[in-house]
C-alpha cells in the first residue's frame, strides 16, 4: 500500500483565512507538505521561488486575481508545467473557461467537500506521475478495455476494432492522454482540427456525440462538464 514517494508539496493561494486553515489542516492530515499565500502577488513569488507539486489557486483574490496568476505562471519557464487546480465560486463558468484556456488542470467549485477535493488532488498528482513516467510508452494508450495504437491509428475496445473518422480518433486520443482533465470546446477543436481551420466550437459536440455512439456503454466515459466542455473519465 505505502509507496516510497517523496512528500508532495502543495501551495495554497487563497485570501480567506478560514478556507486556507481548513485546507491546510486537511492536506497536512493527508501527509502533504503545505505552504500558503494570501495574495496573488505573494503566491506568484512563492511559486517561482520554490515550485510546488500542485497549486490550489483561488480565482477571486484582491489585487492580482487568480486568472492573472495562472497566466503569469504559464509564461514563466520555471512554473510552466506546474499542476494547478482552481478554486472557484458558483456561477463563474466563464472564469473557469478562461482558466482552463490559460492552462489550469482542473477546478473545483466552492463550497466543496474535503473528500471531493482530496480525490481531485490525487487525480491530478497521479497525472503528474504518469507524465513523468511517460517516456517510452508513447505508442499505446490504454484505459480499461479501450486501447489506442497511435502508430497504427487504430482503436480497439475489448479487442474489437472501432471504425473512427480521423477527427474522432484525434479527439479520443487527446482526451484519453489527458484523462481526468477538463477541456473547453475551443481547446478540443485546436487539438482535433488545428487552430487555423474555421469551424465553430459546437462542431466538437457533433464529434463527441458520434464518438459516444461508437463507444456504446463506454461513451459515458466522455463526460459533459456543464457550461465548460468535456473530460474523459473511467467510471
Ligand atoms: Ca477569494
Amino acid at each position: 500500500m505505502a509507496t516510497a514517494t517523496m512528500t508532495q508539496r502543495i501551495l495554497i493561494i487563497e485570501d480567506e483565512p478560514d478556507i486556507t486553515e481548513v485546507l491546510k489542516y486537511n492536506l497536512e492530515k493527508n501527509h502533504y507538505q503545505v505552504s500558503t499565500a494570501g495574495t496573488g502577488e505573494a503566491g506568484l513569488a512563492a511559486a517561482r521561488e520554490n515550485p510546488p507539486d500542485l497549486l490550489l489557486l483561488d480565482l477571486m483574490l484582491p489585487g492580482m486575481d487568480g486568472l492573472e496568476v495562472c497566466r503569469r505562471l504559464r509564461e514563466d519557464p520555471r512554473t510552466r508545467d506546474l499542476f494547478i487546480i482552481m478554486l472557484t465560486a458558483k456561477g463563474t463558468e466563464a472564469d473557469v473557461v478562461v482558466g482552463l484556456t490559460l492552462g489550469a488542470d482542473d477546478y473545483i467549485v466552492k463550497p466543496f467537500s474535503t473528500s471531493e477535493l482530496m480525490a481531485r488532488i490525487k487525480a491530478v498528482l497521479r497525472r503528474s506521475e504518469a507524465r513523468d513516467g511517460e517516456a517510452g510508452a508513447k505508442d499505446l494508450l490504454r484505459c480499461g478495455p479501450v486501447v489506442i495504437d497511435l502508430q497504427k491509428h487504430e482503436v480497439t475496445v475489448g479487442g474489437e476494432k472501432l471504425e473512427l473518422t480521423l477527427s474522432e480518433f484525434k479527439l479520443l486520443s487527446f482526451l484519453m492522454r489527458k484523462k481526468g482533465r477538463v477541456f473547453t470546446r475551443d481547446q478540443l477543436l485546436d487539438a482535433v482540427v488545428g487552430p487555423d481551420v474555421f469551424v465553430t466550437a459546437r462542431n466538437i459536440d457533433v464529434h463527441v456525440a458520434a464518438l459516444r455512439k461508437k463507444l456504446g456503454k463506454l461513451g459515458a466515459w466522455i463526460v459533459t462538464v456543464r457550461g465548460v466542455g468535456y473530460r474523459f473519465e473511467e467510471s
Side-chain angles (χ1 to χ4, degrees):
M1 181 74 204
T3 47
T5 47
M6 282 196 314
T7 305
Q8 288 171 307
R9 292 180 307 109
I10 298 180
L11 171 63
I12 304 169
I13 307 181
E14 164 67 77
D15 61 313
E16 286 158 77
D18 292 353
I19 296 180
T20 307
E21 204 53 42
V22 171
L23 286 174
K24 190 169 190 285
Y25 172 81
N26 283 294
L27 290 168
E28 284 176 347
K29 211 170 72 180
N30 281 273
H31 313 293
Y32 294 107
Q33 191 186 320
V34 180
S35 50
T36 64
T39 66
E41 287 83 352
L44 190 59
R48 282 176 171 159
E49 195 184 305
N50 192 6
D53 294 297
L54 176 74
L55 173 62
L56 293 181
L57 176 61
D58 184 28
L59 282 193
M60 300 273 275
L61 295 165
M64 189 192 295
D65 70 12
L67 291 177
E68 186 58 27
V69 173
C70 191
R71 189 192 321 270
R72 294 196 189 192
L73 289 171
R74 287 302 182 233
E75 281 169 6
D76 189 330
R78 285 170 295 180
T79 53
R80 188 178 290 151
D81 296 327
L82 209 64
F83 280 88
I84 301 174
I85 298 180
M86 301 183 291
L87 310 176
T88 70
K90 266 213 176 77
T92 52
E93 281 91 354
D95 284 344
V96 168
V97 170
V98 175
L100 293 171
T101 304
L102 290 174
D105 295 280
D106 203 353
Y107 71 97
I108 190 162
V109 179
K110 293 178 186 176
F112 44 80
S113 70
T114 305
S115 57
E116 189 187 355
L117 178 67
M118 289 305 152
R120 293 292 183 83
I121 287 175
K122 280 179 188 149
V124 168
L125 288 173
R126 258 202 312 274
R127 254 180 274 157
S128 95
E129 281 163 12
R131 182 178 66 186
D132 295 343
E134 214 168 48
K138 281 202 165 68
D139 295 346
L140 284 186
L141 291 173
R142 280 170 207 280
C143 194
V146 187
V147 179
I148 300 184
D149 188 321
L150 296 168
Q151 292 250 314
K152 288 197 223 160
H153 261 240
E154 201 176 87
V155 180
T156 54
V157 177
E160 296 268 319
K161 200 175 155 195
L162 272 197
E163 296 296 339
L164 299 183
T165 65
L166 182 60
S167 297
E168 289 161 6
F169 178 85
K170 284 187 182 171
L171 181 63
L172 182 63
S173 33
F174 182 78
L175 284 169
M176 258 178 69
R177 190 180 286 130
K178 317 226 169 195
K179 194 166 63 175
R181 179 168 165 180
V182 189
F183 291 97
T184 66
R185 291 180 172 80
D186 284 325
Q187 287 175 314
L188 293 173
L189 212 55
D190 279 357
V192 171
V193 296
D196 303 326
V197 182
F198 183 77
V199 280
T200 70
R202 291 287 156 194
N203 275 43
I204 284 298
D205 297 343
V206 176
H207 291 315
V208 167
L211 195 50
R212 276 181 178 152
K213 206 167 164 190
K214 290 181 181 178
L215 285 168
K217 261 193 205 160
L218 302 181
W221 287 6
I222 303 175
V223 181
T224 305
V225 183
R226 268 191 74 192
V228 178
Y230 296 99
R231 77 159 98 213
F232 189 90
E233 193 122 47
E234 281 168 272
S235 52

